[in-house]
């Protein structure tokens, strides 16, 4: 019988060498069968957490293989957690890491807004967020074909 293996980001990524760890993240995540997210109240405010989702999708991880386990106590808290996500509002412990991670996202999407919309969509079903609750007013419709291309590749 096969035993489950767990790659735990906080324990497996050298927190003092984030930039080097970012280079290895695609390798680590591509070896995983699913991405388990324990989403507490600060999840969307921590840029590293959301970047792991970004990398999962970019290396070919299926959206359906993301398992979100909200740690909030109510559906309303879960909805609020994801519905208004903005990468530009997320933080890192080190400001330099934040700038680097935002640049990585922008290089993959051309802008943060399509990424924001993708993150909102990825988590909306599992966090009991209704599509009409998503705050996508900041997304330019011209960015949507690019977003659709990304979504179709996962």
């Amino acid at each position: 019988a096969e035993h489950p293996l767990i790659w735990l980001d906080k324990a497996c990524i050298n927190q003092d060498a984030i930039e080097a760890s970012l280079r290895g993240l695609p390798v680590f995540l591509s070896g995983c069968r699913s991405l388990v997210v324990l989403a507490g109240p600060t999840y969307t405010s921590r840029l590293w957490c959301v970047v792991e989702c970004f990398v999962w999708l970019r290396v070919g991880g299926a959206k359906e293989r993301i398992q979100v386990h909200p740690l909030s106590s109510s559906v309303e808290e879960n909805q609020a957690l994801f519905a208004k996500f903005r990468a530009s509002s997320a933080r890192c412990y080190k400001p330099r890491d934040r700038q680097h991670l935002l640049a990585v996202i922008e290089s993959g999407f051309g802008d943060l807004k399509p990424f924001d919309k993708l993150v909102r969509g990825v988590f909306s079903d599992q966090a009991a967020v209704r599509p009409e609750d998503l705050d996508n007013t900041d997304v330019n419709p011209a960015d949507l074909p690019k977003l659709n291309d990304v979504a179709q590749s996962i």
Side-chain angles (χ1 to χ4, degrees):
E2 191 174 318
H3 298 287
L5 298 176
I6 296 175
W7 176 78
L8 185 60
D9 61 351
K10 184 72 172 179
C12 297
I13 290 180
N14 181 348
Q15 301 297 304
D16 294 322
I18 296 293
E19 198 163 318
S21 295
L22 182 61
R23 288 190 296 270
L25 191 58
V27 174
F28 300 140
L29 290 177
S30 66
C32 298
R33 283 184 248 149
S34 61
L35 178 65
V36 178
V37 174
L38 302 176
T42 63
Y43 181 83
T44 58
S45 68
R46 293 179 291 147
L47 191 55
W48 252 114
C49 294
V50 181
V51 164
E52 289 173 356
C53 175
F54 162 76
V55 172
W56 170 265
L57 295 168
R58 294 301 280 187
V59 299
K63 179 177 158 179
E64 298 75 27
R65 308 253 321 143
I66 298 174
Q67 301 171 24
V68 179
H69 299 277
L71 301 178
S72 300
S73 58
S74 73
V75 171
E76 292 78 19
E77 285 180 58
N78 294 336
Q79 289 174 338
L81 181 64
F82 296 109
K84 296 184 182 205
F85 169 76
R86 282 184 174 59
S88 62
S89 298
R91 300 283 177 244
C92 291
Y93 181 73
K94 297 179 183 176
R96 185 173 147 226
D97 291 343
R98 180 177 182 272
Q99 293 307 313
H100 182 74
L101 294 176
L102 290 173
V104 168
I105 293 168
E106 286 178 334
S107 73
F109 286 85
D111 190 343
L112 294 177
K113 292 175 184 176
F115 174 69
D116 292 348
K117 183 172 178 139
L118 181 62
V119 169
R120 292 175 198 139
V122 164
F123 291 105
S124 65
D125 294 337
Q126 296 190 38
V129 177
R130 301 171 308 189
E132 60 269 20
D133 293 332
L134 299 177
D135 181 6
N136 290 320
T137 57
D138 61 335
V139 178
N140 181 340
D143 293 331
L144 294 180
K146 189 182 330 174
L147 177 61
N148 289 335
D149 292 344
V150 171
Q152 289 174 1
S153 71
I154 56 176

mmCIF file of all heavy atoms in Angstrom, residues 3-49:
data_model
loop_
_atom_site.group_PDB
_atom_site.id
_atom_site.type_symbol
_atom_site.label_atom_id
_atom_site.label_comp_id
_atom_site.label_asym_id
_atom_site.label_seq_id
_atom_site.Cartn_x
_atom_site.Cartn_y
_atom_site.Cartn_z
ATOM 1 N N HIS A 3 1.794 4.936 0.964
ATOM 2 C CA HIS A 3 1.565 5.834 2.092
ATOM 3 C C HIS A 3 1.548 7.272 1.599
ATOM 4 O O HIS A 3 2.323 7.647 0.727
ATOM 5 C CB HIS A 3 2.662 5.668 3.154
ATOM 6 C CG HIS A 3 2.705 4.297 3.740
ATOM 7 N ND1 HIS A 3 1.764 3.845 4.616
ATOM 8 C CD2 HIS A 3 3.565 3.279 3.530
ATOM 9 C CE1 HIS A 3 2.045 2.605 4.956
ATOM 10 N NE2 HIS A 3 3.135 2.228 4.296
ATOM 11 N N PRO A 4 0.662 8.091 2.146
ATOM 12 C CA PRO A 4 0.641 9.495 1.717
ATOM 13 C C PRO A 4 1.915 10.202 2.160
ATOM 14 O O PRO A 4 2.439 9.954 3.236
ATOM 15 C CB PRO A 4 -0.585 10.068 2.424
ATOM 16 C CG PRO A 4 -0.905 9.125 3.517
ATOM 17 C CD PRO A 4 -0.325 7.791 3.140
ATOM 18 N N LEU A 5 2.405 11.048 1.289
ATOM 19 C CA LEU A 5 3.553 11.883 1.598
ATOM 20 C C LEU A 5 3.100 13.326 1.619
ATOM 21 O O LEU A 5 2.244 13.728 0.842
ATOM 22 C CB LEU A 5 4.643 11.719 0.534
ATOM 23 C CG LEU A 5 5.237 10.324 0.396
ATOM 24 C CD1 LEU A 5 6.221 10.288 -0.757
ATOM 25 C CD2 LEU A 5 5.913 9.890 1.682
ATOM 26 N N ILE A 6 3.687 14.096 2.502
ATOM 27 C CA ILE A 6 3.313 15.501 2.618
ATOM 28 C C ILE A 6 4.562 16.354 2.460
ATOM 29 O O ILE A 6 5.591 16.108 3.077
ATOM 30 C CB ILE A 6 2.658 15.790 3.991
ATOM 31 C CG1 ILE A 6 1.363 15.023 4.122
ATOM 32 C CG2 ILE A 6 2.446 17.283 4.173
ATOM 33 C CD1 ILE A 6 0.712 15.145 5.473
ATOM 34 N N TRP A 7 4.462 17.337 1.582
ATOM 35 C CA TRP A 7 5.489 18.357 1.462
ATOM 36 C C TRP A 7 4.898 19.599 2.112
ATOM 37 O O TRP A 7 3.923 20.160 1.625
ATOM 38 C CB TRP A 7 5.826 18.614 -0.019
ATOM 39 C CG TRP A 7 6.805 19.729 -0.197
ATOM 40 C CD1 TRP A 7 8.152 19.672 -0.017
ATOM 41 C CD2 TRP A 7 6.508 21.072 -0.556
ATOM 42 N NE1 TRP A 7 8.708 20.901 -0.250
ATOM 43 C CE2 TRP A 7 7.722 21.780 -0.588
ATOM 44 C CE3 TRP A 7 5.328 21.759 -0.859
ATOM 45 C CZ2 TRP A 7 7.792 23.120 -0.909
ATOM 46 C CZ3 TRP A 7 5.418 23.095 -1.174
ATOM 47 C CH2 TRP A 7 6.639 23.762 -1.198
ATOM 48 N N LEU A 8 5.433 19.986 3.234
ATOM 49 C CA LEU A 8 4.913 21.118 3.997
ATOM 50 C C LEU A 8 5.795 22.332 3.731
ATOM 51 O O LEU A 8 6.964 22.361 4.113
ATOM 52 C CB LEU A 8 4.892 20.762 5.487
ATOM 53 C CG LEU A 8 4.283 21.777 6.428
ATOM 54 C CD1 LEU A 8 2.823 22.045 6.087
ATOM 55 C CD2 LEU A 8 4.402 21.288 7.869
ATOM 56 N N ASP A 9 5.227 23.320 3.057
ATOM 57 C CA ASP A 9 6.011 24.468 2.606
ATOM 58 C C ASP A 9 6.810 25.145 3.714
ATOM 59 O O ASP A 9 7.993 25.407 3.566
ATOM 60 C CB ASP A 9 5.138 25.471 1.863
ATOM 61 C CG ASP A 9 4.016 26.037 2.716
ATOM 62 O OD1 ASP A 9 3.782 25.542 3.839
ATOM 63 O OD2 ASP A 9 3.366 26.980 2.252
ATOM 64 N N LYS A 10 6.197 25.432 4.822
ATOM 65 C CA LYS A 10 6.862 26.164 5.904
ATOM 66 C C LYS A 10 8.072 25.397 6.431
ATOM 67 O O LYS A 10 9.084 25.992 6.789
ATOM 68 C CB LYS A 10 5.862 26.437 7.036
ATOM 69 C CG LYS A 10 6.401 27.261 8.160
ATOM 70 C CD LYS A 10 6.584 28.698 7.749
ATOM 71 C CE LYS A 10 6.943 29.542 8.953
ATOM 72 N NZ LYS A 10 7.149 30.913 8.630
ATOM 73 N N ALA A 11 7.981 24.082 6.437
ATOM 74 C CA ALA A 11 9.083 23.265 6.946
ATOM 75 C C ALA A 11 10.115 22.953 5.867
ATOM 76 O O ALA A 11 11.273 22.693 6.178
ATOM 77 C CB ALA A 11 8.539 21.961 7.521
ATOM 78 N N CYS A 12 9.711 22.974 4.598
ATOM 79 C CA CYS A 12 10.600 22.544 3.512
ATOM 80 C C CYS A 12 11.258 23.689 2.750
ATOM 81 O O CYS A 12 12.192 23.458 2.001
ATOM 82 C CB CYS A 12 9.823 21.672 2.532
ATOM 83 S SG CYS A 12 9.207 20.151 3.279
ATOM 84 N N ILE A 13 10.787 24.898 2.916
ATOM 85 C CA ILE A 13 11.388 26.053 2.237
ATOM 86 C C ILE A 13 12.228 26.807 3.245
ATOM 87 O O ILE A 13 11.751 27.163 4.326
ATOM 88 C CB ILE A 13 10.299 26.975 1.633
ATOM 89 C CG1 ILE A 13 9.632 26.279 0.464
ATOM 90 C CG2 ILE A 13 10.891 28.308 1.214
ATOM 91 C CD1 ILE A 13 8.553 27.086 -0.205
ATOM 92 N N ASN A 14 13.471 27.057 2.876
ATOM 93 C CA ASN A 14 14.362 27.812 3.730
ATOM 94 C C ASN A 14 13.856 29.250 3.798
ATOM 95 O O ASN A 14 13.951 29.999 2.826
ATOM 96 C CB ASN A 14 15.789 27.754 3.175
ATOM 97 C CG ASN A 14 16.776 28.505 4.044
ATOM 98 O OD1 ASN A 14 16.409 29.259 4.949
ATOM 99 N ND2 ASN A 14 18.045 28.305 3.766
ATOM 100 N N GLN A 15 13.331 29.630 4.924
ATOM 101 C CA GLN A 15 12.730 30.947 5.087
ATOM 102 C C GLN A 15 13.766 32.078 5.039
ATOM 103 O O GLN A 15 13.411 33.238 4.882
ATOM 104 C CB GLN A 15 11.940 31.013 6.402
ATOM 105 C CG GLN A 15 10.822 29.994 6.491
ATOM 106 C CD GLN A 15 9.748 30.192 5.428
ATOM 107 O OE1 GLN A 15 9.170 31.262 5.325
ATOM 108 N NE2 GLN A 15 9.493 29.166 4.638
ATOM 109 N N ASP A 16 15.047 31.735 5.159
ATOM 110 C CA ASP A 16 16.100 32.745 5.072
ATOM 111 C C ASP A 16 16.661 32.870 3.657
ATOM 112 O O ASP A 16 17.528 33.702 3.410
ATOM 113 C CB ASP A 16 17.238 32.402 6.037
ATOM 114 C CG ASP A 16 16.787 32.488 7.492
ATOM 115 O OD1 ASP A 16 15.998 33.406 7.816
ATOM 116 O OD2 ASP A 16 17.207 31.629 8.288
ATOM 117 N N ALA A 17 16.191 32.018 2.752
ATOM 118 C CA ALA A 17 16.658 32.056 1.357
ATOM 119 C C ALA A 17 15.451 31.926 0.438
ATOM 120 O O ALA A 17 15.362 31.016 -0.379
ATOM 121 C CB ALA A 17 17.662 30.943 1.103
ATOM 122 N N ILE A 18 14.512 32.834 0.579
ATOM 123 C CA ILE A 18 13.252 32.772 -0.150
ATOM 124 C C ILE A 18 13.465 32.795 -1.660
ATOM 125 O O ILE A 18 12.846 32.041 -2.396
ATOM 126 C CB ILE A 18 12.320 33.928 0.280
ATOM 127 C CG1 ILE A 18 11.948 33.782 1.757
ATOM 128 C CG2 ILE A 18 11.094 34.002 -0.599
ATOM 129 C CD1 ILE A 18 11.087 32.609 2.101
ATOM 130 N N GLU A 19 14.365 33.648 -2.142
ATOM 131 C CA GLU A 19 14.568 33.764 -3.585
ATOM 132 C C GLU A 19 15.042 32.439 -4.182
ATOM 133 O O GLU A 19 14.548 31.999 -5.221
ATOM 134 C CB GLU A 19 15.564 34.875 -3.889
ATOM 135 C CG GLU A 19 15.489 35.340 -5.317
ATOM 136 C CD GLU A 19 16.169 36.681 -5.518
ATOM 137 O OE1 GLU A 19 16.011 37.569 -4.671
ATOM 138 O OE2 GLU A 19 16.853 36.806 -6.539
ATOM 139 N N ALA A 20 15.968 31.772 -3.518
ATOM 140 C CA ALA A 20 16.435 30.464 -3.992
ATOM 141 C C ALA A 20 15.310 29.441 -3.908
ATOM 142 O O ALA A 20 15.157 28.596 -4.797
ATOM 143 C CB ALA A 20 17.638 30.007 -3.172
ATOM 144 N N SER A 21 14.509 29.522 -2.873
ATOM 145 C CA SER A 21 13.402 28.580 -2.707
ATOM 146 C C SER A 21 12.340 28.778 -3.779
ATOM 147 O O SER A 21 11.708 27.815 -4.211
ATOM 148 C CB SER A 21 12.777 28.738 -1.322
ATOM 149 O OG SER A 21 13.704 28.374 -0.329
ATOM 150 N N LEU A 22 12.148 30.012 -4.217
ATOM 151 C CA LEU A 22 11.171 30.282 -5.265
ATOM 152 C C LEU A 22 11.547 29.540 -6.547
ATOM 153 O O LEU A 22 10.685 29.011 -7.236
ATOM 154 C CB LEU A 22 11.067 31.782 -5.530
ATOM 155 C CG LEU A 22 10.053 32.214 -6.578
ATOM 156 C CD1 LEU A 22 8.647 31.795 -6.172
ATOM 157 C CD2 LEU A 22 10.105 33.712 -6.789
ATOM 158 N N ARG A 23 12.833 29.460 -6.841
ATOM 159 C CA ARG A 23 13.271 28.728 -8.030
ATOM 160 C C ARG A 23 12.931 27.241 -7.933
ATOM 161 O O ARG A 23 12.680 26.594 -8.940
ATOM 162 C CB ARG A 23 14.766 28.931 -8.257
ATOM 163 C CG ARG A 23 15.101 30.323 -8.747
ATOM 164 C CD ARG A 23 16.549 30.426 -9.195
ATOM 165 N NE ARG A 23 17.502 30.223 -8.111
ATOM 166 C CZ ARG A 23 17.986 31.186 -7.347
ATOM 167 N NH1 ARG A 23 17.610 32.436 -7.550
ATOM 168 N NH2 ARG A 23 18.851 30.926 -6.397
ATOM 169 N N GLY A 24 12.938 26.668 -6.733
ATOM 170 C CA GLY A 24 12.643 25.251 -6.558
ATOM 171 C C GLY A 24 11.166 24.948 -6.400
ATOM 172 O O GLY A 24 10.753 23.789 -6.515
ATOM 173 N N LEU A 25 10.356 25.952 -6.157
ATOM 174 C CA LEU A 25 8.932 25.739 -5.897
ATOM 175 C C LEU A 25 8.218 24.985 -7.017
ATOM 176 O O LEU A 25 7.446 24.063 -6.740
ATOM 177 C CB LEU A 25 8.241 27.072 -5.601
ATOM 178 C CG LEU A 25 6.823 27.006 -5.067
ATOM 179 C CD1 LEU A 25 6.740 26.197 -3.777
ATOM 180 C CD2 LEU A 25 6.295 28.414 -4.835
ATOM 181 N N PRO A 26 8.464 25.301 -8.297
ATOM 182 C CA PRO A 26 7.790 24.535 -9.355
ATOM 183 C C PRO A 26 8.129 23.041 -9.310
ATOM 184 O O PRO A 26 7.273 22.198 -9.554
ATOM 185 C CB PRO A 26 8.293 25.174 -10.654
ATOM 186 C CG PRO A 26 8.704 26.546 -10.257
ATOM 187 C CD PRO A 26 9.218 26.430 -8.854
ATOM 188 N N VAL A 27 9.359 22.730 -8.966
ATOM 189 C CA VAL A 27 9.764 21.322 -8.882
ATOM 190 C C VAL A 27 9.031 20.642 -7.729
ATOM 191 O O VAL A 27 8.486 19.543 -7.880
ATOM 192 C CB VAL A 27 11.300 21.204 -8.693
ATOM 193 C CG1 VAL A 27 11.718 19.756 -8.462
ATOM 194 C CG2 VAL A 27 12.024 21.802 -9.874
ATOM 195 N N PHE A 28 9.004 21.302 -6.585
ATOM 196 C CA PHE A 28 8.323 20.724 -5.431
ATOM 197 C C PHE A 28 6.837 20.497 -5.718
ATOM 198 O O PHE A 28 6.290 19.432 -5.454
ATOM 199 C CB PHE A 28 8.464 21.625 -4.193
ATOM 200 C CG PHE A 28 9.872 21.873 -3.764
ATOM 201 C CD1 PHE A 28 10.260 23.127 -3.327
ATOM 202 C CD2 PHE A 28 10.832 20.875 -3.798
ATOM 203 C CE1 PHE A 28 11.559 23.377 -2.921
ATOM 204 C CE2 PHE A 28 12.139 21.115 -3.392
ATOM 205 C CZ PHE A 28 12.506 22.366 -2.948
ATOM 206 N N LEU A 29 6.183 21.520 -6.263
ATOM 207 C CA LEU A 29 4.739 21.427 -6.493
ATOM 208 C C LEU A 29 4.381 20.468 -7.629
ATOM 209 O O LEU A 29 3.333 19.821 -7.584
ATOM 210 C CB LEU A 29 4.145 22.807 -6.749
ATOM 211 C CG LEU A 29 4.116 23.725 -5.531
ATOM 212 C CD1 LEU A 29 3.581 25.093 -5.904
ATOM 213 C CD2 LEU A 29 3.300 23.128 -4.399
ATOM 214 N N SER A 30 5.235 20.362 -8.635
ATOM 215 C CA SER A 30 4.918 19.444 -9.736
ATOM 216 C C SER A 30 4.984 17.990 -9.292
ATOM 217 O O SER A 30 4.431 17.120 -9.951
ATOM 218 C CB SER A 30 5.841 19.689 -10.937
ATOM 219 O OG SER A 30 7.176 19.364 -10.600
ATOM 220 N N GLY A 31 5.627 17.736 -8.171
ATOM 221 C CA GLY A 31 5.667 16.376 -7.628
ATOM 222 C C GLY A 31 4.483 16.046 -6.739
ATOM 223 O O GLY A 31 4.393 14.933 -6.223
ATOM 224 N N CYS A 32 3.568 16.979 -6.579
ATOM 225 C CA CYS A 32 2.407 16.782 -5.709
ATOM 226 C C CYS A 32 1.181 16.372 -6.523
ATOM 227 O O CYS A 32 1.003 16.810 -7.652
ATOM 228 C CB CYS A 32 2.101 18.067 -4.938
ATOM 229 S SG CYS A 32 3.431 18.589 -3.841
ATOM 230 N N ARG A 33 0.338 15.544 -5.938
ATOM 231 C CA ARG A 33 -0.906 15.145 -6.594
ATOM 232 C C ARG A 33 -2.033 16.131 -6.328
ATOM 233 O O ARG A 33 -2.989 16.207 -7.087
ATOM 234 C CB ARG A 33 -1.327 13.755 -6.133
ATOM 235 C CG ARG A 33 -0.508 12.675 -6.799
ATOM 236 C CD ARG A 33 -1.013 11.326 -6.408
ATOM 237 N NE ARG A 33 0.062 10.769 -5.585
ATOM 238 C CZ ARG A 33 -0.095 9.947 -4.597
ATOM 239 N NH1 ARG A 33 -1.276 9.529 -4.260
ATOM 240 N NH2 ARG A 33 0.926 9.510 -3.919
ATOM 241 N N SER A 34 -1.944 16.844 -5.214
ATOM 242 C CA SER A 34 -2.960 17.844 -4.909
ATOM 243 C C SER A 34 -2.321 18.940 -4.063
ATOM 244 O O SER A 34 -1.258 18.753 -3.485
ATOM 245 C CB SER A 34 -4.158 17.227 -4.176
ATOM 246 O OG SER A 34 -3.753 16.665 -2.953
ATOM 247 N N LEU A 35 -2.992 20.066 -4.041
ATOM 248 C CA LEU A 35 -2.557 21.205 -3.242
ATOM 249 C C LEU A 35 -3.606 21.397 -2.157
ATOM 250 O O LEU A 35 -4.774 21.651 -2.460
ATOM 251 C CB LEU A 35 -2.450 22.463 -4.109
ATOM 252 C CG LEU A 35 -2.045 23.752 -3.407
ATOM 253 C CD1 LEU A 35 -0.620 23.659 -2.860
ATOM 254 C CD2 LEU A 35 -2.147 24.933 -4.361
ATOM 255 N N VAL A 36 -3.199 21.226 -0.926
ATOM 256 C CA VAL A 36 -4.112 21.383 0.207
ATOM 257 C C VAL A 36 -3.850 22.752 0.820
ATOM 258 O O VAL A 36 -2.723 23.064 1.193
ATOM 259 C CB VAL A 36 -3.906 20.272 1.252
ATOM 260 C CG1 VAL A 36 -4.822 20.484 2.457
ATOM 261 C CG2 VAL A 36 -4.140 18.901 0.631
ATOM 262 N N VAL A 37 -4.892 23.551 0.895
ATOM 263 C CA VAL A 37 -4.795 24.903 1.431
ATOM 264 C C VAL A 37 -5.573 24.960 2.739
ATOM 265 O O VAL A 37 -6.774 24.686 2.766
ATOM 266 C CB VAL A 37 -5.380 25.933 0.436
ATOM 267 C CG1 VAL A 37 -5.413 27.321 1.046
ATOM 268 C CG2 VAL A 37 -4.592 25.920 -0.862
ATOM 269 N N LEU A 38 -4.877 25.284 3.808
ATOM 270 C CA LEU A 38 -5.522 25.543 5.088
ATOM 271 C C LEU A 38 -5.639 27.061 5.179
ATOM 272 O O LEU A 38 -4.677 27.748 5.498
ATOM 273 C CB LEU A 38 -4.694 24.982 6.240
ATOM 274 C CG LEU A 38 -4.403 23.484 6.176
ATOM 275 C CD1 LEU A 38 -3.484 23.052 7.311
ATOM 276 C CD2 LEU A 38 -5.694 22.685 6.188
ATOM 277 N N ALA A 39 -6.796 27.562 4.829
ATOM 278 C CA ALA A 39 -6.989 29.004 4.664
ATOM 279 C C ALA A 39 -7.573 29.635 5.911
ATOM 280 O O ALA A 39 -8.775 29.609 6.136
ATOM 281 C CB ALA A 39 -7.892 29.273 3.460
ATOM 282 N N GLY A 40 -6.700 30.210 6.698
ATOM 283 C CA GLY A 40 -7.134 30.956 7.871
ATOM 284 C C GLY A 40 -7.450 32.389 7.494
ATOM 285 O O GLY A 40 -7.372 32.775 6.320
ATOM 286 N N PRO A 41 -7.776 33.196 8.462
ATOM 287 C CA PRO A 41 -8.193 34.574 8.192
ATOM 288 C C PRO A 41 -7.117 35.442 7.539
ATOM 289 O O PRO A 41 -7.433 36.454 6.923
ATOM 290 C CB PRO A 41 -8.567 35.135 9.559
ATOM 291 C CG PRO A 41 -8.448 34.036 10.529
ATOM 292 C CD PRO A 41 -7.884 32.836 9.861
ATOM 293 N N THR A 42 -5.845 35.055 7.624
ATOM 294 C CA THR A 42 -4.784 35.866 7.025
ATOM 295 C C THR A 42 -4.276 35.286 5.708
ATOM 296 O O THR A 42 -3.353 35.842 5.108
ATOM 297 C CB THR A 42 -3.591 36.006 7.989
ATOM 298 O OG1 THR A 42 -3.034 34.708 8.238
ATOM 299 C CG2 THR A 42 -4.017 36.661 9.293
ATOM 300 N N TYR A 43 -4.868 34.210 5.227
ATOM 301 C CA TYR A 43 -4.342 33.518 4.042
ATOM 302 C C TYR A 43 -4.140 34.463 2.856
ATOM 303 O O TYR A 43 -3.069 34.509 2.271
ATOM 304 C CB TYR A 43 -5.251 32.356 3.639
ATOM 305 C CG TYR A 43 -4.743 31.609 2.433
ATOM 306 C CD1 TYR A 43 -3.773 30.627 2.575
ATOM 307 C CD2 TYR A 43 -5.201 31.912 1.157
ATOM 308 C CE1 TYR A 43 -3.281 29.956 1.467
ATOM 309 C CE2 TYR A 43 -4.711 31.249 0.047
ATOM 310 C CZ TYR A 43 -3.752 30.270 0.205
ATOM 311 O OH TYR A 43 -3.263 29.625 -0.890
ATOM 312 N N THR A 44 -5.152 35.197 2.481
ATOM 313 C CA THR A 44 -5.042 36.047 1.287
ATOM 314 C C THR A 44 -4.203 37.296 1.524
ATOM 315 O O THR A 44 -3.872 37.996 0.573
ATOM 316 C CB THR A 44 -6.429 36.457 0.753
ATOM 317 O OG1 THR A 44 -7.132 37.147 1.782
ATOM 318 C CG2 THR A 44 -7.212 35.238 0.289
ATOM 319 N N SER A 45 -3.840 37.572 2.755
ATOM 320 C CA SER A 45 -2.980 38.727 3.015
ATOM 321 C C SER A 45 -1.506 38.337 2.994
ATOM 322 O O SER A 45 -0.637 39.194 3.050
ATOM 323 C CB SER A 45 -3.328 39.365 4.363
ATOM 324 O OG SER A 45 -2.977 38.494 5.424
ATOM 325 N N ARG A 46 -1.223 37.040 2.909
ATOM 326 C CA ARG A 46 0.166 36.556 2.874
ATOM 327 C C ARG A 46 0.507 36.154 1.441
ATOM 328 O O ARG A 46 0.034 35.150 0.942
ATOM 329 C CB ARG A 46 0.346 35.395 3.844
ATOM 330 C CG ARG A 46 0.192 35.865 5.285
ATOM 331 C CD ARG A 46 0.345 34.753 6.282
ATOM 332 N NE ARG A 46 -0.807 33.859 6.153
ATOM 333 C CZ ARG A 46 -0.751 32.552 6.350
ATOM 334 N NH1 ARG A 46 0.374 31.970 6.670
ATOM 335 N NH2 ARG A 46 -1.837 31.826 6.221
ATOM 336 N N LEU A 47 1.326 36.957 0.798
ATOM 337 C CA LEU A 47 1.616 36.780 -0.623
ATOM 338 C C LEU A 47 2.225 35.419 -0.936
ATOM 339 O O LEU A 47 1.899 34.813 -1.947
ATOM 340 C CB LEU A 47 2.518 37.910 -1.109
ATOM 341 C CG LEU A 47 2.714 38.018 -2.617
ATOM 342 C CD1 LEU A 47 1.379 38.126 -3.346
ATOM 343 C CD2 LEU A 47 3.604 39.203 -2.942
ATOM 344 N N TRP A 48 3.079 34.920 -0.076
ATOM 345 C CA TRP A 48 3.682 33.615 -0.339
ATOM 346 C C TRP A 48 2.622 32.536 -0.487
ATOM 347 O O TRP A 48 2.738 31.644 -1.339
ATOM 348 C CB TRP A 48 4.653 33.221 0.778
ATOM 349 C CG TRP A 48 6.072 33.286 0.348
ATOM 350 C CD1 TRP A 48 7.016 34.158 0.818
ATOM 351 C CD2 TRP A 48 6.727 32.496 -0.642
ATOM 352 N NE1 TRP A 48 8.209 33.943 0.169
ATOM 353 C CE2 TRP A 48 8.061 32.914 -0.734
ATOM 354 C CE3 TRP A 48 6.316 31.468 -1.477
ATOM 355 C CZ2 TRP A 48 8.981 32.356 -1.595
ATOM 356 C CZ3 TRP A 48 7.242 30.902 -2.342
ATOM 357 C CH2 TRP A 48 8.553 31.343 -2.393
ATOM 358 N N CYS A 49 1.589 32.580 0.309
ATOM 359 C CA CYS A 49 0.529 31.566 0.231
ATOM 360 C C CYS A 49 -0.114 31.569 -1.150
ATOM 361 O O CYS A 49 -0.300 30.516 -1.768
ATOM 362 C CB CYS A 49 -0.540 31.840 1.290
ATOM 363 S SG CYS A 49 0.040 31.645 2.973
#
